[in-house]
Coordinates of all heavy atoms in Angstrom, one line a residue:
M1463 N 0.8 -1.2 0.0 CA 0.0 0.0 0.0 C 0.9 1.3 0.0 O 1.8 1.4 0.8 CB -0.9 0.0 1.2 CG -2.2 0.6 1.0 SD -3.2 0.7 2.5 CE -2.6 2.3 3.2
T1464 N 0.6 2.2 -0.9 CA 1.4 3.4 -0.9 C 0.8 4.4 0.1 O -0.4 4.5 0.3 CB 1.3 4.1 -2.3 OG1 0.0 4.0 -2.8 CG2 2.3 3.4 -3.2
E1465 N 1.7 5.2 0.6 CA 1.3 6.2 1.6 C 0.6 7.3 1.0 O 1.0 7.8 -0.1 CB 2.6 6.6 2.3 CG 2.3 7.3 3.7 CD 3.5 8.0 4.2 OE1 4.6 7.6 4.1 OE2 3.2 9.1 4.8
K1466 N -0.5 7.8 1.6 CA -1.2 9.0 1.0 C -1.1 10.1 1.9 O -1.2 10.0 3.1 CB -2.6 8.6 0.7 CG -2.7 7.5 -0.4 CD -3.8 7.9 -1.4 CE -3.8 7.0 -2.5 NZ -4.8 7.4 -3.5
N1467 N -1.0 11.3 1.4 CA -1.0 12.5 2.2 C -2.1 13.5 1.7 O -2.4 13.6 0.6 CB 0.4 13.2 2.0 CG 1.5 12.4 2.6 OD1 1.5 12.1 3.8 ND2 2.4 12.0 1.7
W1468 N -2.6 14.2 2.7 CA -3.6 15.2 2.4 C -3.0 16.5 1.9 O -2.0 17.0 2.3 CB -4.4 15.5 3.7 CG -5.4 14.4 4.0 CD1 -5.2 13.5 5.0 CD2 -6.6 14.1 3.5 NE1 -6.2 12.6 5.0 CE2 -7.1 13.0 4.1 CE3 -7.4 14.8 2.4 CZ2 -8.4 12.4 3.7 CZ3 -8.6 14.2 2.1 CH2 -9.1 13.1 2.7
Y1469 N -3.7 17.0 0.9 CA -3.4 18.3 0.3 C -4.6 19.2 0.2 O -5.7 18.7 0.1 CB -2.8 18.1 -1.1 CG -1.3 17.9 -1.1 CD1 -0.8 16.7 -0.7 CD2 -0.4 18.9 -1.4 CE1 0.6 16.5 -0.7 CE2 1.0 18.7 -1.4 CZ 1.5 17.5 -1.0 OH 2.8 17.3 -1.0
F1470 N -4.3 20.5 0.2 CA -5.4 21.5 0.0 C -5.1 22.3 -1.2 O -4.0 22.9 -1.3 CB -5.6 22.4 1.3 CG -6.8 23.3 1.1 CD1 -8.1 23.0 1.2 CD2 -6.5 24.7 0.8 CE1 -9.1 23.9 1.1 CE2 -7.5 25.6 0.6 CZ -8.8 25.2 0.8
S1471 N -6.1 22.5 -2.1 CA -5.9 23.3 -3.3 C -6.4 24.7 -3.0 O -7.6 24.9 -2.7 CB -6.6 22.7 -4.4 OG -6.7 23.7 -5.5
I1472 N -5.5 25.7 -3.0 CA -5.8 27.1 -2.7 C -6.8 27.7 -3.7 O -7.7 28.4 -3.3 CB -4.5 28.0 -2.7 CG1 -3.7 27.7 -1.4 CG2 -4.9 29.4 -2.8 CD1 -2.7 28.8 -1.1
F1473 N -6.7 27.3 -4.9 CA -7.6 27.8 -5.9 C -8.9 27.0 -6.1 O -9.9 27.5 -6.5 CB -6.9 28.0 -7.3 CG -5.8 29.0 -7.2 CD1 -4.5 28.6 -7.4 CD2 -6.1 30.3 -7.0 CE1 -3.4 29.5 -7.3 CE2 -5.0 31.3 -7.0 CZ -3.7 30.9 -7.1
G1474 N -8.8 25.7 -5.8 CA -9.9 24.9 -5.9 C -10.8 24.8 -4.7 O -12.0 24.6 -4.8
G1475 N -10.2 25.0 -3.5 CA -10.9 25.0 -2.3 C -11.3 23.6 -1.8 O -12.3 23.5 -1.2
Y1476 N -10.5 22.6 -2.2 CA -10.9 21.3 -1.7 C -9.7 20.5 -1.2 O -8.5 20.9 -1.5 CB -11.5 20.5 -2.9 CG -10.7 20.5 -4.1 CD1 -9.6 19.6 -4.3 CD2 -11.0 21.4 -5.2 CE1 -8.9 19.6 -5.5 CE2 -10.2 21.4 -6.3 CZ -9.2 20.5 -6.5 OH -8.4 20.5 -7.6
L1477 N -10.0 19.5 -0.4 CA -9.0 18.7 0.2 C -8.9 17.4 -0.6 O -9.9 16.9 -1.1 CB -9.4 18.3 1.6 CG -9.3 19.4 2.6 CD1 -10.3 19.2 3.8 CD2 -7.9 19.6 3.2
Y1478 N -7.7 16.9 -0.8 CA -7.6 15.6 -1.6 C -6.4 14.8 -1.1 O -5.5 15.4 -0.5 CB -7.6 15.9 -3.1 CG -6.5 16.7 -3.5 CD1 -5.4 16.2 -4.1 CD2 -6.5 18.1 -3.4 CE1 -4.3 17.0 -4.6 CE2 -5.5 18.9 -3.8 CZ -4.4 18.3 -4.4 OH -3.3 19.1 -4.8
E1479 N -6.4 13.6 -1.4 CA -5.2 12.7 -1.0 C -4.3 12.5 -2.2 O -4.8 12.3 -3.3 CB -5.7 11.4 -0.5 CG -6.2 11.4 0.9 CD -6.6 10.1 1.4 OE1 -7.6 9.5 0.8 OE2 -6.0 9.5 2.3
V1480 N -3.0 12.5 -1.9 CA -2.0 12.3 -3.0 C -1.0 11.2 -2.5 O -0.6 11.2 -1.4 CB -1.2 13.7 -3.2 CG1 -0.1 13.5 -4.1 CG2 -2.2 14.7 -3.7
S1481 N -0.7 10.3 -3.4 CA 0.3 9.3 -3.0 C 1.7 9.9 -3.1 O 1.9 10.9 -3.8 CB 0.1 8.1 -4.0 OG 0.6 8.5 -5.2
S1482 N 2.6 9.3 -2.4 CA 3.9 9.8 -2.3 C 4.6 10.0 -3.6 O 5.5 10.8 -3.8 CB 4.8 9.0 -1.3 OG 4.5 7.7 -1.3
E1483 N 4.3 9.1 -4.6 CA 4.9 9.2 -5.9 C 4.4 10.4 -6.6 O 5.1 11.1 -7.4 CB 4.6 8.0 -6.8 CG 5.1 6.7 -6.3 CD 4.0 5.9 -5.6 OE1 3.2 5.3 -6.3 OE2 4.0 5.9 -4.3
E1484 N 3.1 10.8 -6.4 CA 2.5 11.9 -7.1 C 3.0 13.2 -6.6 O 2.9 14.3 -7.2 CB 1.0 11.8 -7.1 CG 0.4 10.7 -7.9 CD -1.1 10.5 -7.6 OE1 -1.4 10.4 -6.4 OE2 -1.8 10.5 -8.5
E1485 N 3.5 13.2 -5.3 CA 3.8 14.5 -4.6 C 4.8 15.3 -5.4 O 4.8 16.5 -5.3 CB 4.3 14.2 -3.3 CG 3.2 13.9 -2.3 CD 3.8 14.0 -0.8 OE1 4.6 13.1 -0.5 OE2 3.3 14.8 -0.1
S1486 N 5.7 14.7 -6.1 CA 6.8 15.4 -6.7 C 6.3 16.3 -7.9 O 7.0 17.2 -8.3 CB 7.9 14.4 -7.2 OG 7.3 13.5 -8.1
V1487 N 5.2 16.0 -8.4 CA 4.7 16.8 -9.6 C 3.7 17.9 -9.2 O 3.2 18.6 -10.0 CB 4.1 15.9 -10.7 CG1 5.1 15.0 -11.3 CG2 2.9 15.1 -10.1
I1488 N 3.4 18.0 -7.9 CA 2.5 19.0 -7.4 C 3.0 20.4 -7.4 O 4.2 20.6 -7.1 CB 2.0 18.5 -6.0 CG1 0.9 17.5 -6.2 CG2 1.5 19.7 -5.2 CD1 0.4 16.9 -4.9
D1489 N 2.2 21.4 -7.8 CA 2.7 22.7 -7.9 C 2.6 23.4 -6.5 O 2.1 22.9 -5.5 CB 2.0 23.5 -8.9 CG 0.5 23.7 -8.7 OD1 0.2 24.1 -7.5 OD2 -0.3 23.5 -9.6
A1490 N 3.2 24.6 -6.4 CA 3.3 25.3 -5.2 C 2.0 25.8 -4.6 O 2.0 26.2 -3.4 CB 4.3 26.5 -5.4
F1491 N 0.9 25.7 -5.3 CA -0.3 26.2 -4.8 C -1.2 25.1 -4.1 O -2.3 25.3 -3.7 CB -1.2 26.9 -5.9 CG -0.4 28.0 -6.6 CD1 0.1 27.9 -7.8 CD2 -0.2 29.2 -5.9 CE1 0.8 28.9 -8.4 CE2 0.5 30.2 -6.4 CZ 1.0 30.1 -7.7
Q1492 N -0.6 24.0 -4.0 CA -1.2 22.9 -3.2 C -0.5 22.8 -1.9 O 0.7 22.7 -1.8 CB -1.0 21.6 -4.0 CG -1.2 21.6 -5.5 CD -2.6 22.2 -5.9 OE1 -3.6 21.9 -5.3 NE2 -2.6 23.0 -6.9
I1493 N -1.3 22.9 -0.8 CA -0.7 23.0 0.5 C -0.6 21.6 1.1 O -1.6 20.9 1.3 CB -1.5 23.9 1.4 CG1 -1.9 25.1 0.7 CG2 -0.9 24.1 2.8 CD1 -1.4 26.4 1.1
P1494 N 0.6 21.1 1.5 CA 0.7 19.8 2.1 C 0.2 19.9 3.6 O 0.6 20.8 4.3 CB 2.2 19.5 2.1 CG 2.9 20.9 2.0 CD 1.9 21.8 1.3
L1495 N -0.5 18.9 4.0 CA -1.0 18.8 5.3 C -0.5 17.6 6.1 O -0.3 16.5 5.4 CB -2.6 18.8 5.3 CG -3.3 19.9 4.6 CD1 -4.8 19.6 4.6 CD2 -3.0 21.2 5.1
R1496 N -0.3 17.7 7.3 CA 0.2 16.6 8.1 C -1.0 15.6 8.4 O -0.9 14.5 8.7 CB 0.8 17.0 9.4 CG 2.3 17.5 9.2 CD 2.8 18.0 10.5 NE 2.2 19.2 10.9 CZ 2.2 19.7 12.1 NH1 2.8 19.1 13.0 NH2 1.5 20.9 12.3
K1497 N -2.2 16.2 8.5 CA -3.4 15.4 8.8 C -4.6 16.2 8.2 O -4.5 17.4 7.9 CB -3.5 15.2 10.3 CG -3.6 16.5 11.1 CD -3.8 16.3 12.5 CE -3.9 17.6 13.2 NZ -4.3 17.5 14.6
R1498 N -5.7 15.5 8.2 CA -6.9 16.1 7.7 C -7.5 17.1 8.8 O -7.4 16.8 10.0 CB -8.0 15.0 7.5 CG -9.0 15.4 6.5 CD -10.1 14.5 6.4 NE -11.1 15.3 5.7 CZ -11.8 14.8 4.7 NH1 -11.8 13.6 4.4 NH2 -12.6 15.6 4.0
P1499 N -7.9 18.3 8.4 CA -8.4 19.2 9.3 C -9.6 18.7 10.1 O -10.4 17.9 9.6 CB -8.9 20.4 8.5 CG -8.2 20.3 7.2 CD -7.9 18.8 7.0
D1500 N -9.7 19.1 11.4 CA -10.7 18.6 12.3 C -12.1 19.1 11.9 O -12.3 20.3 11.7 CB -10.4 19.2 13.7 CG -11.1 18.5 14.8 OD1 -12.1 17.7 14.4 OD2 -10.8 18.6 15.9
S1501 N -13.0 18.2 11.7 CA -14.3 18.6 11.2 C -15.1 19.3 12.3 O -16.2 19.9 12.1 CB -15.1 17.3 10.7 OG -15.2 16.4 11.8
S1502 N -14.6 19.2 13.6 CA -15.3 19.9 14.6 C -14.8 21.3 14.8 O -15.2 22.0 15.8 CB -15.2 19.1 15.9 OG -13.8 19.0 16.3
C1503 N -13.9 21.8 14.0 CA -13.3 23.1 14.0 C -14.5 24.1 13.8 O -15.2 24.0 12.9 CB -12.3 23.3 13.0 SG -11.7 25.1 12.9
K1504 N -14.6 25.1 14.8 CA -15.7 26.0 14.7 C -15.5 27.0 13.6 O -16.5 27.7 13.1 CB -15.9 26.7 16.0 CG -16.5 25.8 17.1 CD -16.8 26.6 18.4 CE -17.4 25.7 19.4 NZ -16.4 24.7 19.9
K1505 N -14.3 27.2 13.1 CA -14.1 28.3 12.1 C -14.3 27.7 10.7 O -14.9 28.4 9.8 CB -12.7 28.8 12.2 CG -12.5 29.7 13.4 CD -11.1 30.4 13.3 CE -10.7 31.1 14.5 NZ -11.5 32.4 14.7
C1506 N -13.9 26.5 10.4 CA -14.0 26.0 9.1 C -14.8 24.7 8.9 O -15.1 24.2 7.8 CB -12.6 25.8 8.5 SG -11.7 24.4 9.2
H1507 N -15.1 24.0 10.0 CA -15.8 22.8 10.0 C -15.1 21.7 9.2 O -15.8 20.9 8.5 CB -17.3 23.0 9.5 CG -18.0 24.1 10.3 ND1 -18.5 23.9 11.5 CD2 -18.2 25.4 9.9 CE1 -19.0 25.0 12.0 NE2 -18.9 25.9 11.0
G1508 N -13.8 21.7 9.2 CA -13.1 20.7 8.4 C -12.9 21.0 7.0 O -12.3 20.2 6.3
R1509 N -13.3 22.1 6.5 CA -13.1 22.5 5.1 C -11.7 23.0 4.8 O -11.3 23.1 3.7 CB -14.2 23.5 4.6 CG -15.6 23.0 4.6 CD -16.5 24.2 4.3 NE -16.2 25.3 5.2 CZ -16.9 26.5 5.1 NH1 -17.8 26.7 4.2 NH2 -16.6 27.4 5.9
F1510 N -11.1 23.6 5.9 CA -9.8 24.1 5.8 C -9.8 25.6 5.3 O -8.7 26.2 5.3 CB -8.8 23.3 5.1 CG -7.4 23.5 5.4 CD1 -6.9 23.3 6.7 CD2 -6.5 24.0 4.5 CE1 -5.6 23.6 7.1 CE2 -5.1 24.3 4.9 CZ -4.7 24.1 6.2
Y1511 N -10.9 26.1 4.8 CA -10.9 27.5 4.5 C -12.1 28.2 5.1 O -13.1 27.5 5.5 CB -11.0 27.7 2.9 CG -12.2 27.1 2.3 CD1 -13.4 27.9 2.2 CD2 -12.3 25.8 1.8 CE1 -14.5 27.4 1.6 CE2 -13.4 25.3 1.2 CZ -14.6 26.1 1.1 OH -15.7 25.6 0.6
T1512 N -12.0 29.5 5.3 CA -13.0 30.2 6.0 C -13.8 31.0 5.1 O -15.0 31.3 5.3 CB -12.4 31.1 7.1 OG1 -11.4 31.9 6.5 CG2 -11.9 30.3 8.2
S1513 N -13.2 31.5 4.0 CA -13.9 32.3 3.0 C -13.2 32.3 1.7 O -12.1 31.7 1.5 CB -14.0 33.8 3.5 OG -12.7 34.2 3.8
Y1514 N -13.8 33.0 0.7 CA -13.2 33.0 -0.6 C -12.8 34.5 -0.9 O -13.6 35.4 -0.8 CB -14.2 32.5 -1.7 CG -13.6 32.5 -3.1 CD1 -12.6 31.7 -3.4 CD2 -14.2 33.3 -4.1 CE1 -12.1 31.6 -4.7 CE2 -13.7 33.3 -5.4 CZ -12.6 32.5 -5.7 OH -12.1 32.4 -6.9
N1515 N -11.6 34.6 -1.4 CA -11.1 36.0 -1.7 C -11.3 36.2 -3.2 O -10.6 35.7 -4.1 CB -9.6 36.0 -1.4 CG -9.0 37.4 -1.6 OD1 -9.4 38.2 -2.5 ND2 -8.0 37.8 -0.8
K1516 N -12.4 37.0 -3.5 CA -12.8 37.2 -4.9 C -11.7 38.0 -5.7 O -11.6 37.8 -6.9 CB -14.1 38.0 -4.9 CG -15.3 37.1 -4.8 CD -16.6 37.8 -5.1 CE -17.7 36.9 -4.7 NZ -18.8 37.6 -4.0
T1517 N -11.1 38.9 -5.0 CA -10.1 39.8 -5.7 C -8.9 38.9 -6.2 O -8.5 39.0 -7.3 CB -9.6 40.9 -4.8 OG1 -10.6 41.2 -3.9 CG2 -9.1 42.1 -5.6
Q1518 N -8.4 38.1 -5.3 CA -7.2 37.3 -5.6 C -7.6 35.9 -6.1 O -6.7 35.1 -6.4 CB -6.2 37.3 -4.4 CG -5.7 38.7 -4.1 CD -4.7 38.6 -2.9 OE1 -4.1 37.6 -2.6 NE2 -4.6 39.8 -2.3
Q1519 N -8.8 35.6 -6.0 CA -9.4 34.3 -6.5 C -8.7 33.1 -5.9 O -8.3 32.2 -6.6 CB -9.3 34.2 -8.0 CG -10.0 35.4 -8.7 CD -10.3 35.2 -10.1 OE1 -9.5 34.5 -10.8 NE2 -11.4 35.6 -10.6
H1520 N -8.6 33.2 -4.6 CA -8.2 32.0 -3.9 C -8.9 31.9 -2.5 O -9.6 32.8 -2.1 CB -6.6 31.9 -3.6 CG -6.2 33.0 -2.7 ND1 -6.4 32.9 -1.3 CD2 -5.5 34.2 -2.9 CE1 -5.9 34.0 -0.7 NE2 -5.4 34.8 -1.7
F1521 N -8.8 30.7 -1.9 CA -9.5 30.5 -0.6 C -8.7 30.9 0.5 O -7.5 30.7 0.5 CB -10.0 29.1 -0.5 CG -11.1 28.7 -1.5 CD1 -10.8 28.4 -2.8 CD2 -12.4 28.7 -1.0 CE1 -11.8 28.1 -3.7 CE2 -13.4 28.4 -1.9 CZ -13.1 28.1 -3.2
N1522 N -9.3 31.6 1.5 CA -8.6 32.0 2.7 C -8.5 30.8 3.7 O -9.6 30.2 4.1 CB -9.3 33.2 3.4 CG -9.2 34.4 2.5 OD1 -8.2 34.7 1.9 ND2 -10.4 35.0 2.4
L1523 N -7.3 30.4 4.1 CA -7.2 29.3 5.0 C -7.7 29.6 6.4 O -7.6 30.7 6.9 CB -5.7 28.9 5.0 CG -5.0 28.6 3.7 CD1 -3.6 28.1 3.9 CD2 -5.8 27.5 2.9
C1524 N -8.2 28.5 7.0 CA -8.6 28.6 8.4 C -7.3 28.8 9.3 O -6.4 28.0 9.3 CB -9.3 27.3 8.8 SG -9.6 27.2 10.6
P1525 N -7.3 29.9 10.0 CA -6.1 30.2 10.8 C -5.8 29.2 11.9 O -4.6 28.8 12.2 CB -6.3 31.6 11.5 CG -7.8 31.8 11.3 CD -8.3 31.0 10.2
K1526 N -6.8 28.6 12.4 CA -6.7 27.6 13.5 C -6.1 26.3 12.9 O -5.2 25.7 13.4 CB -8.1 27.3 14.1 CG -8.0 27.0 15.6 CD -9.4 26.9 16.1 CE -9.5 25.9 17.2 NZ -10.8 25.5 17.6
C1527 N -6.7 25.8 11.8 CA -6.2 24.6 11.2 C -4.9 24.7 10.5 O -4.2 23.8 10.4 CB -7.3 24.0 10.3 SG -8.8 23.5 11.1
S1528 N -4.6 25.9 10.0 CA -3.3 26.1 9.3 C -2.2 25.8 10.3 O -1.3 25.2 9.9 CB -3.2 27.6 8.9 OG -4.1 27.9 7.9
K1529 N -2.4 26.3 11.5 CA -1.3 26.1 12.5 C -1.2 24.7 12.8 O -0.1 24.2 13.0 CB -1.7 26.9 13.8 CG -1.0 28.2 13.9 CD -1.3 28.8 15.3 CE -1.3 30.4 15.1 NZ -2.1 31.0 16.1
K1530 N -2.3 24.0 12.9 CA -2.3 22.6 13.4 C -1.9 21.6 12.2 O -1.2 20.6 12.5 CB -3.7 22.2 13.8 CG -3.9 22.4 15.3 CD -5.0 21.5 15.8 CE -6.2 22.4 16.1 NZ -7.4 21.6 16.5
C1531 N -2.3 21.9 11.0 CA -2.3 20.9 10.0 C -1.2 21.1 8.9 O -0.8 20.1 8.3 CB -3.6 20.8 9.3 SG -4.9 20.4 10.4
I1532 N -0.8 22.3 8.6 CA 0.1 22.5 7.5 C 1.5 21.9 7.8 O 2.0 22.0 8.9 CB 0.3 24.0 7.2 CG1 -1.0 24.6 6.6 CG2 1.5 24.3 6.2 CD1 -0.9 26.0 6.2
D1533 N 2.0 21.2 6.8 CA 3.2 20.5 6.9 C 4.3 21.4 6.4 O 4.7 21.4 5.2 CB 3.2 19.2 6.1 CG 4.4 18.3 6.4 OD1 5.4 18.8 7.0 OD2 4.3 17.1 6.2
A1534 N 4.8 22.3 7.3 CA 5.8 23.3 6.9 C 7.1 22.7 6.5 O 7.7 23.2 5.5 CB 6.0 24.3 8.1
E1535 N 7.5 21.6 7.1 CA 8.7 21.0 6.7 C 8.7 20.5 5.2 O 9.7 20.6 4.5 CB 8.9 19.7 7.5 CG 10.0 19.9 8.6 CD 10.0 18.8 9.6 OE1 10.3 17.7 9.1 OE2 9.7 19.0 10.8
K1536 N 7.6 20.0 4.8 CA 7.4 19.6 3.4 C 7.5 20.8 2.4 O 8.1 20.6 1.4 CB 6.1 18.9 3.2 CG 6.1 17.9 2.1 CD 4.9 17.0 2.1 CE 5.1 15.7 2.8 NZ 3.9 14.9 2.9
I1537 N 7.0 21.9 2.8 CA 7.0 23.1 2.0 C 8.5 23.5 1.8 O 9.0 23.8 0.7 CB 6.2 24.2 2.6 CG1 4.7 23.9 2.6 CG2 6.4 25.5 1.8 CD1 3.8 24.9 3.2
I1538 N 9.2 23.5 2.9 CA 10.6 23.9 2.9 C 11.5 22.9 2.1 O 12.3 23.3 1.2 CB 11.2 24.0 4.4 CG1 10.5 25.2 5.1 CG2 12.7 24.2 4.3 CD1 10.7 25.1 6.6
Q1539 N 11.2 21.7 2.3 CA 11.9 20.6 1.5 C 11.7 20.9 0.0 O 12.6 20.8 -0.8 CB 11.3 19.3 1.8 CG 12.1 18.5 2.9 CD 11.4 17.3 3.3 OE1 10.6 16.7 2.5 NE2 11.6 16.8 4.5
K1540 N 10.4 21.1 -0.4 CA 10.1 21.4 -1.8 C 10.8 22.6 -2.3 O 11.3 22.6 -3.5 CB 8.6 21.5 -1.9 CG 8.1 20.8 -3.1 CD 6.6 20.9 -3.2 CE 6.1 20.6 -4.6 NZ 5.9 19.3 -5.0
R1541 N 10.9 23.6 -1.6 CA 11.5 24.9 -2.0 C 13.0 24.6 -2.2 O 13.6 25.0 -3.2 CB 11.3 25.9 -0.9 CG 10.8 27.2 -1.4 CD 10.5 28.1 -0.3 NE 9.0 28.3 -0.2 CZ 8.4 28.8 0.8 NH1 9.1 29.2 1.9 NH2 7.1 29.0 0.9
N1542 N 13.6 23.9 -1.3 CA 15.0 23.6 -1.4 C 15.3 22.7 -2.6 O 16.3 22.8 -3.3 CB 15.5 22.9 -0.1 CG 15.6 23.9 1.1 OD1 15.5 25.1 0.9 ND2 15.7 23.4 2.3
A1543 N 14.4 21.8 -2.8 CA 14.6 20.9 -4.0 C 14.6 21.6 -5.3 O 15.4 21.3 -6.2 CB 13.5 19.8 -4.0
K1544 N 13.8 22.7 -5.4 CA 13.7 23.5 -6.6 C 15.0 24.3 -6.8 O 15.4 24.4 -7.9 CB 12.5 24.4 -6.5 CG 11.3 23.9 -7.3 CD 10.2 24.9 -7.4 CE 9.0 24.1 -7.8 NZ 7.8 24.6 -7.1
K1545 N 15.5 24.8 -5.7 CA 16.7 25.6 -5.7 C 17.9 24.9 -6.3 O 18.7 25.4 -7.0 CB 17.0 26.1 -4.3 CG 16.6 27.6 -4.1 CD 17.0 28.0 -2.8 CE 16.0 28.8 -2.0 NZ 16.2 28.9 -0.6
S1546 N 18.0 23.6 -5.9 CA 19.2 22.8 -6.2 C 19.1 22.3 -7.7 O 20.1 21.8 -8.2 CB 19.3 21.6 -5.3 OG 18.2 20.8 -5.4
K1547 N 18.0 22.6 -8.4 CA 17.9 22.1 -9.8 C 18.7 23.0 -10.7 O 18.7 24.2 -10.5 CB 16.4 22.1 -10.2 CG 15.9 20.6 -10.1 CD 14.4 20.6 -10.5 CE 13.8 19.4 -9.9 NZ 12.3 19.5 -9.9
Ligands
ZN1604 ZN1 -10.4 25.1 10.9

């Protein structure tokens, strides 16, 4: 069984699972998560966004779940991997 990780699409506004092989082709606008947002969160109810920004056309992330769920290490790793290319 391949390991799957949760991601959130800033422009799509949805959560989805990605296998570890697919992760390398994902663009920077997909946010890696360590776990699925809590559906009992009072701010986002597990959707991971609180509202939609019409001007910039992306979803505003839930501040509470961002702190808890975003995999910052993975973002840094990805950034460093791009630099070394
Ligand atoms: Zn939340």
Side-chain angles (χ1 to χ4, degrees):
M1463 213 185 89
T1464 44
E1465 200 194 319
K1466 294 229 173 180
N1467 294 299
W1468 285 100
Y1469 270 78
F1470 180 78
S1471 167
I1472 283 197
F1473 294 114
Y1476 51 84
L1477 292 152
Y1478 60 102
E1479 278 181 301
V1480 173
S1481 68
S1482 35
E1483 297 100 77
E1484 291 170 308
E1485 278 195 299
S1486 55
V1487 295
I1488 277 178
D1489 65 51
F1491 301 107
Q1492 320 302 320
I1493 316 250
L1495 307 177
R1496 278 178 294 161
K1497 56 175 185 174
R1498 208 191 162 135
D1500 194 347
S1501 58
S1502 63
C1503 173
K1504 286 188 179 70
K1505 286 190 190 287
C1506 73
H1507 308 282
R1509 292 174 309 178
F1510 202 61
Y1511 64 88
T1512 51
S1513 57
Y1514 181 66
N1515 185 326
K1516 276 192 189 138
T1517 329
Q1518 294 180 25
Q1519 301 196 329
H1520 68 73
F1521 288 82
N1522 296 315
L1523 303 183
C1524 170
K1526 211 175 151 193
C1527 294
S1528 294
K1529 261 188 213 153
K1530 267 202 253 175
C1531 301
I1532 289 182
D1533 194 337
E1535 257 172 60
K1536 206 170 263 178
I1537 295 176
I1538 293 163
Q1539 268 174 21
K1540 221 177 159 87
R1541 230 172 253 167
N1542 291 345
K1544 258 190 198 139
K1545 259 185 225 161
S1546 64
K1547 259 178 205 166

